[in-house]
Amino acid sequence: MTLPTPPVAARRPHEYTRHGVTISDDWAWLRDQGYPEVTDEEVLSYLKAENAYFEAVMAPHKGLVDTLFEEMKGRIKEDLSSVPAPDGRFEYWWAYKPGEQYRRWYRKGRETGTEELIFDEVVAAEGHDYFRLGAIVTSPNYKLLATLVDDDGSERFKLRIRDIASGKDIETITEVAIGAPVWAADSKGIAFTEVNEHWRSDQAKYHRLGDDPANAVTLYEETLDKGFSVGLGKSQDDSLIFIATGDNTSSEVRFVPAADPTAAPVLIAARRPNIEYHTDAAHGRLWIVTNDAHINFRLVSAAVETPAEWREEIAGSDRVYLRGAASYRDHLALTTREDGLDRLVLRTYAGDERAIPFDEASYSADFAGNADFAPAAYRLSYSSMVTPPTVYDFHPADDRLETLRVLEIPSGHDPADYVIDRRLIRARDGAMVPVSIVRRAGSKLDGAGRLFLYGYGAYGIAIPPGFSPTRLSLVDRGFAYAIAHIRGGDDLGHGWYLDGKLQKRPNSFNDFVDVARGLAELGYAQPGRIAAQGGSAGGELMGAVANQAPELWGAIVADVPFVDVLNTMLDDTLPLTPGEWPEWGNPIEDKAAFDLIRGYSPYDNVAAQAYPPLLITGGLNDPRVTYWEPAKWAAKLRATKTDDNMLLLKINMGAGHGGKSGRWDALRENAEAYAFVLTQMGE
């Protein structure tokens, strides 16, 4: 079969000097200077040529893509719906109809039993190539609905107010909202945040219904630190609206009464470098999770009247990582992690604790859907790499875990057909890196198999060992599927995160490479028979490990990859750059940070060497990882690498960071990625 010729992006010499070092960037022209509008015809022509090449190369494999898609689709209920969740006088749920891409949202009176449709995504998505519902919030009087809708992937949401009885939108407050809005207690106004021209949220505002949105009251404006973003929240008891500002490492929280949102905000504690705190309220006290005294956080409380006077409730622990606390009438719901495993605890205000038990050796669990302040039972979500998503209610009165629903796999699924392995792999510096693995029961660890390794490793975000109906298409074809819980995530506590950021960032890349080699030594696959995937910061990971150890990988999928790290961190006009400096370092002011980032930035370290087959994706409207990062990386790889292995670039021209939005369109993109891996590594 004769393959089409890949497109070639022109090289245009471009140089700049920082800290006495001259940087060459021959593909800088791929950044449209009018961004976020992309109108440069030469740029668009190149991106379209790459997409055409992707389609041409994948066309002969359409049968495999279709097969994978139908397999994946067969594991998903066409009429999938959520378990109704109680919230005040109603219980709420969403539901898909067979064949449809988007959901409908419903509620039912808990006393009347009357059902009503409150929002129809199918109707709202008509005429749009992309649709995402960012938030849906009912007013306290149950008559109004606030919705956030993004219809182009730019993560600039339209905030609208809907009259539930008529089903009509009665106000559009802003077209550049972000983050869930919060209703005032009287349902006559709503607090919200917007993004400015730099896609930064720097203000919290309050709009009184019926007023001109241009006259919204500014509740708080962040003027001290352009890296800080502003967000909103509401206490579990509905008494307070929280206004939080912060970056990835520091936070500062104020509150106003939900009954009087325009009152002067009350500061809880002033910002301090590298100190975070997160707050809830109940029984006249603030309940605060903070890392001010211990790396794994502690719980303190304070009277609402004296928010700065903290009293310790739970001390920090070297073993137990306190991730969050929600304050209900009878209990604090504590989300913790111990030895890398999720642990959910109900604690009375007298200090008695009850950990909710789970049997599997590796799993993912969380509190979910607990809107009521005084629930009789606490809603939980649970899954493992072999157990489909399960919804429980835990009844503390009789210490009972009630199963409400185990997600049905229509095409059939028997957990006994699979086994879970949890391994600890020694990294080159001696750290023991956990790995969660699912494979077919009876598969042999003799080195003859294939391995698919997934990683992220940034921002303190753990990758849970939960269930995925899509990955079974690889596992059923003989792959072991592994998640490497590398440093940079908080899988083993907050220190695990700190050990993979700033000057320790290379630990994340080294961990991933060392996990691959360690699993090869254990017989999961031989080098060259290992596929890898990661997205966003995980796409940066993919670029770094492709540079460091290209011989390990049979194929790499890099989704919306953050690969042009040095150039992005040097440009403080980009939306996220100032807020990202605490994660990566500030190479503008700090030569050591400049040298470090320059030493690992995937784009800057593309070498004249053989690379594995690569599938790279991006989104034209992505405000997080701008489209030119994957485009420049692909162009430089094509011009530099010494092999003839496949390199594909696919840019979603009408989507953003998350790819396509419809459930079936997103599933087909998964099928394309897996088909790429299979065709490169042998079906």
Side-chain angles (χ1 to χ4, degrees):
M1 179 180 67
T2 302
L3 292 176
T5 302
V8 176
R11 299 185 73 150
R12 296 178 182 168
H14 172 79
E15 293 183 343
Y16 63 89
T17 300
R18 288 283 195 281
H19 301 293
V21 178
T22 298
I23 303 295
S24 297
D25 186 2
D26 292 351
W27 291 274
W29 67 270
L30 285 170
R31 173 182 175 174
D32 191 317
Q33 295 307 302
Y35 181 84
E37 298 294 326
V38 184
T39 58
D40 186 304
E41 286 300 326
E42 192 171 8
V43 170
L44 290 170
S45 177
Y46 170 67
L47 298 179
K48 291 174 182 177
E50 287 284 8
N51 284 345
Y53 179 63
F54 170 85
E55 295 294 340
V57 169
M58 294 300 292
H61 310 301
K62 182 178 183 301
L64 176 59
V65 173
D66 289 345
T67 297
L68 290 166
F69 174 74
E70 292 301 328
E71 284 179 11
M72 295 173 182
K73 189 176 179 182
R75 300 189 190 104
I76 298 173
K77 284 192 68 177
E78 293 248 3
D79 57 350
L80 182 66
S81 64
S82 63
V83 177
D87 183 2
R89 293 182 357 218
F90 294 86
E91 55 182 16
Y92 295 82
W93 72 97
W94 51 258
Y96 287 100
K97 287 187 177 180
E100 292 184 338
Q101 300 254 37
Y102 299 101
R103 300 174 286 187
R104 292 175 171 86
W105 294 77
Y106 300 89
R107 72 179 182 185
K108 180 172 69 174
R110 295 170 75 176
E111 293 183 0
T112 66
T114 303
E115 294 186 10
E116 56 185 326
L117 172 68
I118 60 173
F119 191 78
D120 190 333
E121 291 186 27
V122 178
V123 172
E126 288 179 358
H128 300 289
D129 292 332
Y130 181 94
F131 176 87
R132 176 184 168 194
L133 182 65
I136 180 168
V137 188
T138 309
S139 63
N141 67 4
Y142 305 105
K143 295 180 180 180
L144 302 171
L145 200 66
T147 61
L148 262 67
V149 167
D150 173 12
D151 56 21
D152 64 6
S154 66
E155 296 189 58
R156 293 167 172 87
F157 293 84
K158 298 173 178 65
L159 171 56
R160 298 189 177 108
I161 305 300
R162 171 166 296 198
D163 175 67
I164 294 177
S166 67
K168 303 296 184 182
D169 290 330
I170 58 175
E171 291 191 40
T172 297
I173 297 172
T174 176
E175 297 195 351
V176 289
I178 196 165
V182 178
W183 284 98
D186 62 5
S187 302
K188 294 181 180 180
I190 196 164
F192 64 97
T193 53
E194 295 177 306
V195 290
N196 59 22
E197 66 274 15
H198 299 299
W199 198 72
R200 174 181 168 235
S201 174
D202 59 359
Q203 294 181 341
K205 297 181 178 181
Y206 176 73
H207 168 73
R208 194 160 183 84
L209 301 188
D211 288 354
D212 184 343
N215 296 328
V217 177
T218 298
L219 302 180
Y220 173 78
E221 181 175 6
E222 175 56 50
T223 59
L224 298 177
D225 191 326
K226 65 181 180 180
F228 274 38
S229 294
V230 179
L232 292 166
K234 199 171 189 180
S235 62
Q236 194 67 43
D237 67 0
D238 292 330
S239 66
L240 302 178
I241 296 174
F242 295 114
I243 305 167
T245 183
D247 57 17
N248 294 326
T249 63
S250 304
S251 55
E252 182 177 82
V253 182
R254 293 166 173 81
F255 63 85
V256 295
D260 186 12
T262 58
V266 178
L267 175 64
I268 296 176
R271 66 190 71 181
R272 288 187 284 165
N274 301 314
I275 300 300
E276 302 174 52
Y277 66 96
H278 315 283
T279 310
D280 203 348
H283 305 299
R285 295 191 69 80
L286 302 170
W287 301 90
I288 303 166
V289 174
T290 179
N291 65 341
D292 67 337
H294 196 284
I295 195 172
N296 276 335
F297 292 76
R298 63 174 181 145
L299 180 71
V300 300
S301 72
V304 171
E305 296 78 13
T306 54
E309 298 177 9
W310 291 4
R311 181 181 75 197
E312 185 169 271
E313 304 287 346
I314 302 175
S317 166
D318 291 339
R319 183 177 182 187
V320 178
Y321 174 33
L322 179 59
R323 299 173 54 233
S327 52
Y328 295 89
R329 185 191 66 187
D330 300 327
H331 299 90
L332 290 164
L334 306 178
T335 305
T336 72
R337 191 171 290 134
E338 190 171 334
D339 298 329
L341 287 178
D342 293 338
R343 186 170 175 263
L344 307 181
V345 178
L346 290 177
R347 177 186 174 94
T348 69
Y349 290 95
D352 297 324
E353 292 189 356
R354 174 67 172 99
I356 299 171
F358 301 108
D359 294 332
E360 291 183 279
S362 180
Y363 59 84
S364 173
D366 205 350
F367 291 103
N370 294 291
D372 280 349
F373 178 56
Y378 292 86
R379 183 66 51 85
L380 317 175
S381 63
Y382 175 92
S383 73
S384 75
M385 295 182 81
V386 300
T387 301
T390 303
V391 179
Y392 292 110
D393 268 354
F394 181 75
H395 299 262
D398 52 3
D399 202 31
R400 176 169 55 92
L401 195 62
E402 176 189 8
T403 303
L404 300 182
R405 178 182 296 176
V406 179
L407 183 67
E408 178 187 347
I409 308 299
S411 60
H413 172 70
D414 185 352
D417 291 339
Y418 307 90
V419 294
I420 296 175
D421 301 332
R422 188 169 176 85
R423 302 283 191 173
L424 289 173
I425 303 296
R426 185 178 299 276
R428 64 194 68 179
D429 65 355
M432 301 303 292
V433 182
V435 189
S436 300
I437 309 160
V438 61
R439 55 189 174 93
R440 290 287 299 188
S443 60
K444 296 179 180 179
L445 301 183
D446 58 4
R450 293 174 293 180
L451 174 67
F452 192 100
L453 186 61
Y454 183 88
Y456 185 72
Y459 300 109
I461 296 174
I463 303 300
F467 186 82
S468 166
T470 58
R471 71 169 67 115
L472 295 180
S473 289
L474 289 177
V475 177
D476 288 345
R477 285 173 171 79
F479 277 82
Y481 188 105
I483 300 169
H485 304 288
I486 58 179
R487 283 173 283 186
D490 68 352
D491 307 67
L492 293 184
H494 196 67
W496 199 246
Y497 161 49
L498 299 180
D499 281 344
K501 65 177 293 189
L502 294 174
Q503 68 272 19
K504 297 182 179 180
R505 181 61 184 155
N507 284 342
S508 301
F509 316 139
N510 297 342
D511 285 356
F512 195 84
V513 168
D514 295 345
V515 163
R517 288 175 173 151
L519 292 178
E521 291 174 3
L522 291 171
Y524 284 91
Q526 293 299 311
R529 299 278 285 170
I530 304 171
Q533 184 179 27
S536 194
E540 177 203 56
L541 172 69
M542 294 300 102
V545 302
N547 287 336
Q548 182 185 140
E551 73 284 354
L552 286 177
W553 319 111
I556 289 179
V557 178
D559 294 312
V560 291
F562 176 43
V563 286
D564 195 12
V565 186
L566 184 62
N567 285 316
T568 294
M569 289 297 100
L570 284 169
D571 188 349
D572 61 3
T573 69
L574 289 174
L576 292 180
T577 293
E580 295 291 297
W581 288 330
E583 185 76 18
W584 314 104
N586 182 347
I588 297 175
E589 299 180 356
D590 183 350
K591 185 179 187 302
F594 174 89
D595 292 338
L596 178 69
I597 295 172
R598 180 171 170 248
Y600 69 70
S601 175
Y603 176 69
D604 294 279
N605 287 278
V606 169
Q609 64 181 13
Y611 280 85
L614 281 156
L615 169 60
I616 304 166
T617 70
L620 190 68
N621 298 328
D622 189 348
R624 297 178 184 268
V625 176
T626 50
Y627 76 88
W628 60 81
E629 295 210 25
K632 287 170 60 178
W633 185 41
K636 188 172 185 178
L637 280 165
R638 286 199 196 285
T640 310
K641 68 191 187 79
T642 60
D643 60 86
D644 294 323
N645 289 330
M646 186 61 64
L647 169 60
L648 298 179
L649 172 66
K650 178 185 178 183
I651 300 292
N652 277 311
M653 304 299 281
H657 199 61
K660 292 186 177 179
S661 57
R663 61 171 173 164
W664 305 133
D665 290 341
L667 201 65
R668 184 165 290 279
E669 289 192 326
N670 279 335
E672 288 175 343
Y674 286 0
F676 174 80
V677 169
L678 289 167
T679 55
Q680 300 306 309
M681 295 179 61
E683 296 183 37

